[in-house]
Structure formats: C-alpha cells, structure tokens
Amino acid sequence: MNELKILGTEKVGNFKFTGIEGGFGENKKAMLVRDIAVIHGKEVRQINQAINMNRKRFKDGIDVIDFLNQSNGFRKFAEDNGLIGSNRTQHVYLLSERGYAKLLKILEDDKAWEIYDELVDNYFNMRYIIQKQDSYMITDPVQRAKRWIEEQEEHQVKLAMAKQETKDVQDNTSISSKDYQVLSRKIGQKLDRYLSQHQIYNKNQVALLRWDLNNAILKAAGVPARTLIKQKHFTAIAEALVNWEPSESTLEKMKAY
C-alpha cells in the first residue's frame, strides 16, 4: 500500500484545495472529488455520479481511491483527516492525475480542460518539499531529540560525500612530471634486471621486451598512453611491475632474432 499524506492547503491560480500525496505511487499527487467539484463549479454529488456511471473506466489504485471501500485500508486515513462528510456519505473519492483526466473526458467541458492544464503544470508535476526545522527550533523535547539525531546522520552523510569527492578528485588527477620520471625510471630498472638475468643483448629483442613491459603497464592502468596515467592507477601499476613476465607471443617473436 502507498502511504498517503496531507500536504496542506495548495493554491493554483484562484483555486485553493487540499494537497494529497501518495496512494497512487510514491510522490504522486492526488485530488479529492470535493475539491474538484468546487474548482469546476459543480456539486460533489454530480462529480460522484459521473464517476459512478462510468465506474468501470476508473481503475482502483490507479485512477481512483474510494476512502469508504473497506478493502483498500484507507478509511482510517480519511476519518483521521476529516474527509468523510457524514454517516450517509457513500463514496469519498480521491483521483490521480490520470483519473482526473478521465473525469474531464466525461464532463466534456472546454473550460475544465483549461483548469486541468493549470493544475498539471502547477500541482501534479510539482514535487512537494518538506522544509525541516533545525533541532534548536523545536520545543517538544522528544521531537527535538529525533531531529538532532537526523541532523547528525545528515552531517555524517555530507562529510562522507565530501571525503569521497575529494578522493575522486585526487584519484583522477594526472601524475606530475616528477612522478612520470619516477615511473619511467622504475620501468627501466625492471627491464634492465630482466635483460641482465637472461643475458639479452640483441637490440631487436630488447625492443620487443620494452614494448611488452610498457604494454603491461598500460593494460594495468587501462589507458592507451603513459601520459594518461592518473594517481589512482599507481597501485595496479606497481603490481604489474612486480609480476611482469614477457608474454608468450613476445617470447615467440624474439626467437626470430
């Protein structure tokens, strides 16, 4: 079930009515038939009659909610918020934007469609934002304590987001010229050790090994050139340097020299 809540008095143009959210989906706006009747200059019974005569066109939970329908569980909400006029009331309808549009097709009133356009733009499509009070402004001690806890949680979330944003900026910063020189030196030292250990002096073989090692570094960083290496790539590059061994294809090519 989608939770319903009263948003308070809404004002669109010259019309005032009770804003309601939920019932048809999260953050979905809805309107009471009693307010629709006032806006369109009709009696509630006339609007109810139009809905009842075409009831099969209005889908429960999608187009319409009848607060007096025991099966949907919304009656208590209506009672608590004074939406039921009297004990003789048979239906208390709430319409979604889609349900309201269906109602207008039945009413066939050009003026009604003008009003509908205004309501869609300035009510149904406007998200309701609840402005939270700061804890120090709340007089009730229990509510103040709850709000204070919320503020601490919100502060922790903002702090974590700020740290993450800082880390993201740092991680995506290009390496400095000094770091680039250090990296190039480390790559050269790794290659020299391999050449020395395997007594490789042929310049063509050395070129193949240099290409293989450089390709392993770029692959670890996920970039096509060394100049695109970022700070965040250093861990992967360090592991690639430690674990590097020439690929089988490079070793095979080396046999030609």
Side-chain angles (χ1 to χ4, degrees):
M1 183 188 300
N2 295 301
E3 183 181 355
L4 283 163
K5 57 184 175 183
I6 300 289
L7 302 179
T9 300
E10 298 279 341
K11 188 175 186 299
V12 174
N14 297 321
F15 307 112
K16 290 184 180 181
F17 55 92
T18 302
I20 297 181
E21 187 176 87
F24 300 101
E26 187 177 2
N27 297 326
K28 296 288 187 180
K29 300 288 189 62
M31 287 191 71
L32 292 164
V33 158
R34 73 179 189 189
D35 288 328
I36 294 173
V38 172
I39 289 172
H40 292 281
K42 297 183 181 296
E43 295 181 18
V44 173
R45 65 175 180 81
Q46 292 177 294
I47 303 295
N48 281 348
Q49 185 178 38
I51 293 172
N52 291 336
M53 291 177 64
N54 298 272
R55 193 63 178 82
K56 63 182 180 181
R57 297 185 183 181
F58 292 85
K59 295 182 179 180
D60 288 314
I62 297 175
D63 302 316
V64 65
I65 288 174
D66 184 355
F67 286 123
L68 299 189
N69 183 343
Q70 298 289 352
S71 64
N72 63 30
F74 288 125
R75 185 184 179 103
K76 188 175 188 308
F77 173 85
E79 291 174 345
D80 292 345
N81 289 280
L83 303 181
I84 301 175
S86 69
N87 293 331
R88 292 181 297 174
T89 303
Q90 294 181 325
H91 303 285
V92 178
Y93 288 128
L94 180 73
L95 296 183
S96 65
E97 178 184 349
R98 173 175 143 153
Y100 188 12
K102 287 186 177 182
L103 174 64
L104 293 189
K105 289 181 181 178
I106 297 168
L107 296 178
E108 295 183 347
D109 182 346
D110 290 339
K111 180 64 176 177
W113 281 107
E114 292 178 17
I115 297 171
Y116 173 76
D117 288 339
E118 192 171 2
L119 287 169
V120 167
D121 293 338
N122 299 297
Y123 174 62
F124 285 111
N125 291 339
M126 295 290 287
R127 186 174 179 182
Y128 187 77
I129 302 174
I130 299 176
Q131 299 294 336
K132 293 183 177 179
Q133 284 184 301
D134 292 329
S135 58
Y136 72 87
M137 298 175 65
I138 301 174
T139 57
D140 182 271
V142 175
Q143 294 302 319
R144 183 170 62 247
K146 287 182 179 179
R147 180 64 189 125
W148 183 85
I149 292 172
E150 287 181 358
E151 288 173 343
Q152 300 312 302
E153 292 174 347
E154 290 167 2
H155 176 71
Q156 291 301 319
V157 169
K158 290 178 182 178
L159 187 61
M161 289 175 65
K163 287 182 178 179
Q164 185 61 47
E165 288 174 0
T166 300
K167 184 177 183 299
D168 289 343
V169 171
Q170 292 174 340
D171 287 347
N172 287 291
T173 300
S174 299
I175 59 175
S176 64
S177 57
K178 183 178 180 181
D179 288 335
Y180 186 87
Q181 291 172 5
V182 171
L183 176 59
S184 297
R185 187 165 63 250
K186 293 290 183 183
I187 292 173
Q189 290 172 349
K190 178 69 175 182
L191 179 60
D192 289 342
R193 283 196 297 271
Y194 186 88
L195 296 175
S196 177
Q197 290 170 1
H198 296 82
Q199 297 184 350
I200 297 173
Y201 306 106
N202 183 285
K203 65 179 182 178
N204 292 315
Q205 292 181 329
V206 171
L208 284 169
L209 289 169
R210 181 177 291 109
W211 176 88
D212 190 281
L213 176 54
N214 187 64
N215 189 57
I217 296 301
L218 296 179
K219 186 176 180 180
V223 295
R226 280 197 215 176
T227 53
L228 298 176
I229 291 174
K230 311 288 186 183
Q231 294 289 343
K232 64 183 178 182
H233 297 141
F234 269 107
T235 300
I237 289 173
E239 292 179 3
L241 273 173
V242 171
N243 300 319
W244 175 75
E245 289 290 340
S247 64
E248 291 295 328
S249 61
T250 295
L251 293 174
E252 191 63 33
K253 291 175 184 177
M254 288 172 62
K255 292 178 182 180
Y257 302 103

